[in-house]
Amino acid sequence: MAERKLRVLVGKPGLDGHDRGAKIIARAFRDAGFEVIYTGLHQTPEQIVSAAIQEDVDCVALSILSGAHNTLLPQVCELLKEKKADDILVFGGGVIPDDDIPGLKASGIREVFTPGTSTEDIVAWVRNNVKPRA
């Protein structure tokens, strides 16, 4: 029996209206053979978590450029924990200062990708770190 494809939700939390990067990474994940769910712009952490659970995803990729990363990204992790779905791995990318990355990781964000990271490196990281949920 063939192994199930990884299911990745790409989310844009908050009022950030720029989705070019999210669409690029969603396409890279699709081209890598992952199943991709893109939630679109202006999603609340609650909407992202609800979609992640409903779609039975293996991981959530959050794209953020608005500067609200220290609030919104940890909220996604906290809500997943509250819903007993914290086995869904969460990672993020966007314009995030290096000084903020340790705090994000302490909040449950597994990895943070900053501008200039290649899509190949992000896909490789997902392949090496995300396993299909049981």
Side-chain angles (χ1 to χ4, degrees), residues 21-80:
K23 288 179 177 177
I24 289 169
I25 199 65
R27 178 170 286 174
F29 289 154
R30 184 204 63 198
D31 292 349
F34 305 156
E35 289 186 41
V36 179
I37 296 94
Y38 175 52
T39 60
L41 292 169
H42 309 301
Q43 298 294 297
T44 66
E46 291 82 3
Q47 289 171 314
I48 291 168
V49 167
S50 178
I53 292 168
Q54 288 174 10
E55 295 288 346
D56 193 28
V57 299
D58 302 301
C59 62
V60 173
L62 299 171
S63 171
I64 191 158
L65 304 172
S66 68
H69 52 273
N70 286 330
T71 302
L72 296 172
L73 274 58
Q75 282 180 350
V76 171
C77 291
E78 186 58 36
L79 289 166
L80 285 168

Side-chain angles (χ1 to χ4, degrees), residues 102-123:
L104 290 171
K105 287 185 175 182
S107 76
I109 302 298
R110 290 287 300 274
E111 189 57 82
V112 176
F113 299 99
T114 54
T117 305
S118 73
T119 56
E120 293 86 5
D121 287 345
I122 298 169
V123 167

